[in-house]
Amino acid sequence: MNCEYCELRKSAILYEDKDVAVIVKDTAVTSGQITVLPKQHFTILEMVPNELMEKCFLVANKVSMAIFESVGSQGTNIMIQNGLSAGQTVPHFAIEVVPRREEDSLNFQWQPKQLSEPELESLLSQLSEVKVNLKEKAEAKDKKEIKVKDENTEIIVEKEGKKNYLLKSIRRTP
Amino acid sequence: MPQMTPEQQKALQEKLKNMSPEELQEFQKQQCIFCQIISGKVPAKKVYEDDQCIAILDINPAAKGHLLLLPKEHYAIMPQIPEPILAHLSVVSKHLSQLLLKSLKVDGTTIFVANGLAAGQKAQHFMIHIIPRKEDDNALQFEEKVISKEIQDKVKVAVENKLYQLLEVKKESIQLKLPQEDYFEEKPEFFITSENAKRYHKEKCAFAQNINSEHRIEMTPEQAANSGKKPCTCITGEKIPLPAKTKTESELDDSKNNKPAKKISPAKSTHSTKSAKSTKKNSKSKVPQKEEEEPEEEFEPDQEDTNKNVNLDDIANLFR
C-alpha cells in the first residue's frame, strides 16, 4: 500500500524519534499547520496502541505550545480526522495542529443541533450498551494487556468489534 | 485622607496579587458550567466517568452522539494540563471514538480540541470534542490549500527551536542530524612509478614528482613488491639527492643530511668519505646513469634558485 506519510521526504520532517514524527505538510488548512504522526503505519485511531496514542498526544501538546510561542498564534486547534467520512485524506493516523488567529478566515465551527430529551435518552442508552466494555478498556490500559488476556470473553467481543470496523475501514480507504 | 487611599489600593492590589490565582480559579470554577456538571449540581448525560475525567453528551451537538470529554480539574487550556492527565484523556478519547463507531454505526470520528478564544473555544473549561461523522454530513469541513515550500521552511525554522526546547531534546542529537564527514581520514600508502621505471617512489620523492602524468602509475606496497621494481632511496630510508648545486649555508646542511644516508647504502658508501661537494656531484652524475632507461624520471637540476631551503617537502613542492 502506498502511504504518503510513510514515504515522506526527509525535508518535511521537523522532529522525529523512534516512535513519533512531526512534519510540515505541503497541503494544509492554513500555513503553519503541523502534523504529528506515529512512524509505524496505522490507518485509523483505533489501531494505535494506547501508549503510542499518549505519546502522540503529548507531542501534539508540545507542538501546540511551540506554535503559541513562535508563530504568534492566539490559539490552536488540535484535530484528529478519523476515517474517510471525517475528512481523513491519507490512510495514516495523524494529529493536526492548526494555529489560529482572531482574524483568520477559518471556520471550524459547526451548526449546533437541538436535541430533545428523548433523543438524548435514546442516544445514551445506545451508547451505554457498550459502556461497560469501555470502562474495562480504560482500566486495562494501566494493567496492560496481560491481565486482559485472562478475560477471554471480553477480548472476543473487543476483537470482533474492532475487526468488523477495521475491515470496513480498510475497504473504504482509497 | 487622600494619602490613605493609594495605600489601601496598594494593599488591596497586593492582596489580589497574592490571592488572585486561587481566587480566580475558585471564581472561574463557580462560573464554569462544566465544573458544576462534574460536581453534580447540573444534570448531564454521562457516558463515561472515572477519577480523572468525565464524558458527557453535548446538548448542542454537531451531530448525534457528539461527546465532550472533560478533565475533572478545571483547566482553561491544554498547556496547563499536567502530562499524565493529558495522556489519560487521549487514551479515553480513543476509546470513546471506538465506542461511537461501534454503537452508532458511523463511518468515522473527528476528535477536536479548541485551544484559546481565537480557536473557537467557548467555555473556560478544557474539553475534547469527539464527533461522530457520516459521509456528507457537512459538520466540519476544511478546505486544504497548497502551502508553498517557502512558507513551509519558514514555519519549520520558527517552530523547530522552540519544539526541541520543549521536548527537552539535547543539542547533540540535533547536531547528529547533520552529515558528519571525516576529513582526516588518511589515504592508504601508495607508491608511484612508471611503466619503464626500475624503481618505485613515495609520492613526495623528487623522482615521483618528475614523472609525467601520462606515465604515472600508482601502486600499493604489495603491488610494488610484486612488480619486480626496486624501492627508491626515499623508501629505503636514504635521503633523496638534492636537486641542484648547493651553495654556502645550505651546502653544509645537505652534507650533514646526506652522510648518514650514504652509510646505510652499500652502493654509495664509497662516497661517504668525500666532501659534500663531491658527493653532490657524484650523486648527480650517478642518477642519470642509473636510470638511463627512464627519461621521465631523470632528475633535471634546473632549479638554480631553490637551494636555500633544506626542507625536502619544500623542495618537492617546487616541482609542482
Side-chain angles (χ1 to χ4, degrees), chain B residues 283-296:
Chain B
S283 64
K284 254 187 264 166
S285 61
K286 259 195 173 181
V287 168
Q289 280 173 9
K290 270 194 173 181
E291 326 243 342
E292 274 172 343
E293 295 166 4
E294 311 161 334
E296 69 271 23

Side-chain angles (χ1 to χ4, degrees), chain B residues 6 36 63 101 105 130 146 157 192 252 267 302:
Chain B
Q36 287 172 10
L101 293 174
K105 313 253 183 312
I130 300 139
V146 177
V157 170
I192 290 161
L252 288 167
D302 57 346

Side-chain angles (χ1 to χ4, degrees), chain A residues 97-108:
Chain A
V97 185
V98 186
R100 296 295 304 273
R101 279 174 210 90
E102 293 278 2
E103 291 113 18
D104 60 13
S105 55
L106 301 175
N107 181 20
F108 282 17

Side-chain angles (χ1 to χ4, degrees), chain B residues 199 201 205 207 230-242 255 257-276 278-291 299:
Chain B
R199 291 170 184 266
H201 312 272
C205 175
F207 291 115
K230 288 176 187 174
C232 171
T233 52
C234 65
I235 296 159
T236 54
E238 292 176 9
K239 291 287 171 183
I240 302 167
L242 282 165
S255 63
N257 287 336
N258 282 330
K259 270 180 184 174
K262 302 289 178 201
K263 277 175 190 172
I264 295 161
S265 165
K268 291 178 182 178
S269 61
T270 48
H271 305 293
S272 60
T273 49
K274 294 183 180 179
S275 72
S278 66
T279 50
K280 276 288 120 185
K281 279 173 187 173
N282 278 328
S283 64
K284 254 187 264 166
S285 61
K286 259 195 173 181
V287 168
Q289 280 173 9
K290 270 194 173 181
E291 326 243 342
F299 198 76

